[in-house]
Amino acid sequence: MIKFLDLKAINESFEPELTTAISRVLSSGWYLLGTEVKNFERAYGDYIGTSECVGVANGLDALRLIIKAYMEMGFMKNGDEVIVPANTYIASILAITDNHLTPVLVEPDILTYNIDPLKIEEKISEKTKAIMLVHLYGKNAIHEEIQRLANKYNLKIIEDNAQAVGAVSDKGKLTGSLGDASGHSFYPGKNLGALGDAGGITTDDKLLADTIRALANYGSQQKYVNEFCGLNSRLDEIQAAILNVKLKRLEVDTQIRRNIAEEYGKRITNPAIILPTDAFNASKDMSHVWHLFVIRCKERNRLQQYLTENGIQTLIHYPIPPHKQKAYSKWNDDVYPITEKIHNEVLSLPLSPVLTREEINIVIDRINAFS
């Protein structure tokens, strides 16, 4: 079976550095809020291009804490609205509703799968306080129209950068440094993955970063003195040490992903398959880091079954759109035709830095033979 993502092989490719890093933490006797976390925060902030970086427990918490901090700072209040893509992973939306704000769903562009910049303004109201950009599948979602709207209506741009670490904008800046604040996930399956849950926040706003750092530590900047009603959401020393090792090789691994994406784009020729629009030139396109290689097929379920029978593991990102989830039952009758089309047709192919030449050839051959 060709695995969708062979995490064991990926982590073995970092040995003995990972074992050395873990042993260093174990022998230090210090497991939270220590040197490893500080080193990673500094290194990751430098890499993204922001002055501030705060390590937290996971990517959802990163987004939750950004919004919670803006509320503590008086920029948002209960009932305010946040624009968000209708086809995002549900975590983006959970971060909004968990803070008692209202998500306003906007359809994506069918060609990029990112939020359609030309459909945002009609959804802006006097309650709108932010646009949450999701760089879905690894592709930069920033657009000059989004920046224009943020300036015009005094909106915060919050980036969900869980899938796009290393993606570059047309101005040469990395995602995670393009908006007012950005949430990052280091879930094991991400391009920069820990060995468990982990997340981070990047921003150039020191007051926001200081507020987030306190909120993530029980609302406390000084032990036993609680300024806010906070959370417990901290990046631990072992995960930080692992991420410090992996960050050094991120650019190399990202280029491998781009090269594989381009090979898929050029060699998959089955007319039943709709390829990502930018796959053909993926090796030179710095705006996409190919966290996922997502194709579309009208007979997606039959294609997935066929690939499984031929020893190829695939995943669906994501089978049920947020507005059809039971958790948001009040939206279940709403209609978002582009989002629904995407969710009904998408299929993610195996793609990782450890995918072998033989495996790439098999995936391409099997897809081309599908009928």
Side-chain angles (χ1 to χ4, degrees), residues 84-89 93 105-110 113-116 119 136-137 296 300 317-324 334-346:
V84 65
N87 65 315
T88 185
Y89 181 56
I93 295 170
L105 307 185
V106 173
E107 286 265 65
D109 181 334
I110 192 67
Y113 306 125
N114 282 329
I115 194 169
D116 189 334
K119 293 180 179 176
L136 199 64
Y137 306 152
R296 290 188 7 245
R300 187 266 310 282
H317 296 89
Y318 302 96
I320 304 173
H323 71 282
K324 295 297 185 183
D334 294 350
V335 177
Y336 294 91
I338 297 174
T339 292
E340 290 162 24
K341 180 179 181 63
I342 289 170
H343 285 260
N344 288 332
E345 295 182 355
V346 292

Side-chain angles (χ1 to χ4, degrees), residues 73-142:
M73 293 165 65
F75 188 80
M76 300 177 185
K77 63 181 185 302
N78 286 6
D80 281 342
E81 296 174 352
V82 177
I83 301 284
V84 65
N87 65 315
T88 185
Y89 181 56
I90 202 167
S92 313
I93 295 170
L94 289 171
I96 298 168
T97 58
D98 187 63
N99 280 291
H100 307 289
L101 303 185
T102 301
V104 177
L105 307 185
V106 173
E107 286 265 65
D109 181 334
I110 192 67
L111 297 179
T112 67
Y113 306 125
N114 282 329
I115 194 169
D116 189 334
L118 302 181
K119 293 180 179 176
I120 294 175
E121 190 162 20
E122 64 190 44
K123 296 292 188 79
I124 295 174
S125 75
E126 61 182 16
K127 290 186 176 182
T128 307
K129 297 298 180 183
I131 300 170
M132 183 178 286
L133 282 183
V134 182
H135 305 293
L136 199 64
Y137 306 152
K139 181 173 178 60
N140 169 36
I142 199 68

Side-chain angles (χ1 to χ4, degrees), residues 164 175 190 198 213 264 271 274 313:
T175 56
K190 294 297 193 292
R213 201 176 293 280
Y264 279 165
I274 299 172
Q313 183 185 32

Side-chain angles (χ1 to χ4, degrees), residues 63-71 95-96 99 101 132 158:
L63 296 174
R64 291 170 67 207
L65 285 160
I66 290 169
I67 295 172
K68 190 172 179 65
Y70 276 134
M71 295 180 79
I96 298 168
N99 280 291
L101 303 185
M132 183 178 286
I158 300 171

Side-chain angles (χ1 to χ4, degrees), residues 36-261:
E36 301 287 348
V37 170
K38 289 178 182 176
N39 288 344
F40 176 70
E41 288 176 337
R42 187 180 307 110
Y44 192 69
D46 288 346
Y47 173 74
I48 294 296
T50 58
S51 59
E52 303 290 334
C53 176
V54 183
V56 295
N58 55 69
L60 172 55
D61 277 3
L63 296 174
R64 291 170 67 207
L65 285 160
I66 290 169
I67 295 172
K68 190 172 179 65
Y70 276 134
M71 295 180 79
E72 292 288 356
M73 293 165 65
F75 188 80
M76 300 177 185
K77 63 181 185 302
N78 286 6
D80 281 342
E81 296 174 352
V82 177
I83 301 284
V84 65
N87 65 315
T88 185
Y89 181 56
I90 202 167
S92 313
I93 295 170
L94 289 171
I96 298 168
T97 58
D98 187 63
N99 280 291
H100 307 289
L101 303 185
T102 301
V104 177
L105 307 185
V106 173
E107 286 265 65
D109 181 334
I110 192 67
L111 297 179
T112 67
Y113 306 125
N114 282 329
I115 194 169
D116 189 334
L118 302 181
K119 293 180 179 176
I120 294 175
E121 190 162 20
E122 64 190 44
K123 296 292 188 79
I124 295 174
S125 75
E126 61 182 16
K127 290 186 176 182
T128 307
K129 297 298 180 183
I131 300 170
M132 183 178 286
L133 282 183
V134 182
H135 305 293
L136 199 64
Y137 306 152
K139 181 173 178 60
N140 169 36
I142 199 68
H143 187 281
E144 61 183 11
E145 173 65 6
I146 295 173
Q147 190 61 63
R148 184 188 73 82
L149 294 173
N151 294 338
K152 178 179 178 180
Y153 295 100
N154 190 30
L155 306 178
K156 298 295 185 184
I157 295 179
I158 300 171
E159 296 177 75
D160 181 341
N161 200 45
Q163 299 185 12
V165 56
V168 182
S169 75
D170 57 5
K171 298 187 185 303
K173 296 180 66 176
L174 268 61
T175 56
S177 68
L178 306 176
D180 295 280
S182 177
H184 306 256
S185 171
F186 308 118
Y187 179 78
K190 294 297 193 292
N191 291 20
L192 178 62
L195 296 190
D197 281 321
I201 295 156
T202 53
T203 182
D204 285 322
D205 185 335
K206 187 176 187 306
L207 177 59
L208 178 68
D210 288 345
T211 305
I212 289 169
R213 201 176 293 280
L215 285 168
N217 188 35
Y218 300 99
S220 174
Q221 292 178 315
Q222 179 183 347
K223 195 167 185 177
Y224 303 131
V225 178
N226 301 84
E227 185 177 353
F228 308 110
C229 294
L231 310 172
N232 174 18
S233 182
R234 298 175 297 203
L235 178 64
D236 70 67
E237 288 285 282
I238 286 181
Q239 302 304 340
I242 290 162
L243 291 168
N244 274 321
V245 171
K246 291 189 172 185
L247 180 59
K248 296 170 185 175
R249 210 179 76 192
L250 179 61
E251 288 294 316
V252 172
D253 286 349
T254 298
Q255 192 56 45
I256 295 172
R257 288 177 173 273
R258 290 186 175 121
N259 294 342
I260 296 171

